[in-house]
């Protein structure tokens, strides 16, 4: 077989140039053959687009694997918020179950506990007299809540004392004094007097 580069141009079969309406000659290039030549180009183009899309996906995955510090902080805050909401919902549900199982006397006592509060004006006066400066409403609300918890701890301890001594409620001043003494001995009541420690 002759080498195509060595064949003279006269020896090569002449190809008719195809117009838009001309049919290919027997020695000419068919449309299928022409389409076959353009198909690898189209396939190559499609492959390069797929590779670019895959590279974009890899970049997105890489960015999700190593997010920026701001995104990381936001994600952590969102997770904490969701967790807090879930815990709050669980607590509310548990409290509803508990309250629904109360007897009438317990329900009345719980209602009184919920309604009770220290007067805000008295708390504000007391805090301002101690600190010597004006305080905001938020400080007053916080101190009122802390005072209520503190009073509740003393009453709980006093009820334990009353039961231990074989007495029956209502609580008496002796029960309250003993409760305060016990809490002080366990260092659960802050001491206003400074302890003088002597070093020898």
């Amino acid at each position: 077989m002759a080498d195509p580069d060595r064949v003279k141009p006269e020896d090569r079969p002449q190809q008719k140039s195809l117009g838009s309406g001309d049919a290919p000659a027997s020695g000419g290039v068919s449309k299928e053959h022409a389409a076959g030549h353009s198909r690898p180009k189209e396939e190559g183009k499609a492959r390069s687009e797929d590779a670019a899309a895959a590279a974009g996906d890899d970049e997105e995955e890489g960015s999700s694997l190593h997010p920026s510090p701001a995104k990381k902080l936001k994600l952590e805050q969102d997770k904490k918020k969701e967790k807090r909401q879930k815990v709050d919902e669980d607590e509310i549900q548990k409290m509803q179950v508990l309250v629904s199982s109360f007897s009438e006397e317990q329900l009345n006592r719980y209602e009184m506990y919920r309604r009770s509060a220290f007067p805000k004006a008295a708390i504000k006066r007391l805090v301002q007299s101690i600190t010597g400066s004006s305080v905001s409403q938020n400080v007053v609300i916080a101190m009122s809540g802390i005072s209520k918890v503190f009073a509740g701890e003393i009453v709980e301890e006093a009820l334990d004392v009353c039961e231990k001594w074989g007495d029956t409620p209502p609580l008496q001043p002796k029960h309250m004094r003993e409760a305060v003494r016990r809490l002080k001995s366990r260092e659960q009541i802050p001491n206003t007097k400074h302890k003088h420690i002597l070093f020898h």
Side-chain angles (χ1 to χ4, degrees):
M1 181 172 184
D3 187 10
D5 292 333
R6 292 187 183 179
V7 175
K8 293 178 186 174
E10 302 90 45
D11 297 343
R12 288 186 187 158
Q14 289 189 354
Q15 296 178 355
K16 230 181 175 181
S17 64
L18 292 174
S20 59
D22 295 338
S26 60
V29 179
S30 66
K31 287 182 182 176
E32 289 86 10
H33 188 67
H37 281 296
S38 65
R39 194 172 295 142
K41 289 179 185 176
E42 291 172 3
E43 287 176 3
K45 187 178 178 184
R47 283 185 192 139
S48 64
E49 288 173 0
D50 291 343
D57 291 344
D58 289 344
E59 285 175 10
E60 287 175 10
E61 286 175 11
S63 65
S64 66
L65 290 175
H66 302 288
S68 66
K71 278 186 179 180
K72 204 174 194 180
L73 184 64
K74 189 176 179 184
L75 287 171
E76 286 175 5
Q77 287 175 348
D78 290 344
K79 285 180 184 178
K80 284 181 183 177
K81 196 181 285 184
E82 287 173 10
K83 192 175 181 182
R84 206 176 303 129
Q85 285 175 347
K86 191 177 180 184
V87 168
D88 289 346
E89 288 170 6
D90 291 345
E91 290 293 323
I92 290 168
Q93 195 172 5
K94 285 177 185 175
M95 202 63 202
Q96 285 174 345
V97 170
L98 184 64
V99 169
S100 64
S101 65
F102 278 170
S103 67
E104 187 145 349
E105 184 191 349
Q106 288 173 327
L107 200 58
N108 289 337
R109 283 168 59 193
Y110 178 70
E111 187 181 351
M112 290 303 292
Y113 154 75
R114 293 288 294 193
R115 283 187 184 177
S116 65
F118 285 100
K120 302 275 193 297
I123 295 286
K124 187 170 188 174
R125 256 195 327 272
L126 180 63
V127 172
Q128 284 178 347
S129 69
I130 292 168
T131 60
S133 61
S134 62
V135 292
S136 68
Q137 192 66 21
N138 289 341
V139 173
V140 174
I141 291 167
M143 286 306 298
S144 179
I146 291 167
S147 303
K148 184 175 173 178
V149 170
F150 179 67
E153 287 179 358
I154 292 174
V155 168
E156 275 186 47
E157 190 66 33
L159 285 168
D160 290 345
V161 168
C162 180
E163 187 181 340
K164 193 169 186 179
W165 286 358
D167 297 337
T168 55
L171 294 175
Q172 297 174 15
K174 61 180 181 180
H175 301 136
M176 300 295 282
R177 281 193 291 269
E178 178 62 18
V180 170
R181 188 192 67 75
R182 286 183 180 187
L183 289 173
K184 271 186 182 174
S185 68
R186 290 197 299 244
E187 295 183 358
Q188 290 183 338
I189 291 182
N191 194 359
T192 54
K193 295 176 184 176
H194 298 290
K195 293 180 181 177
H196 297 287
I197 301 171
L198 299 174
F199 296 100
H200 294 283

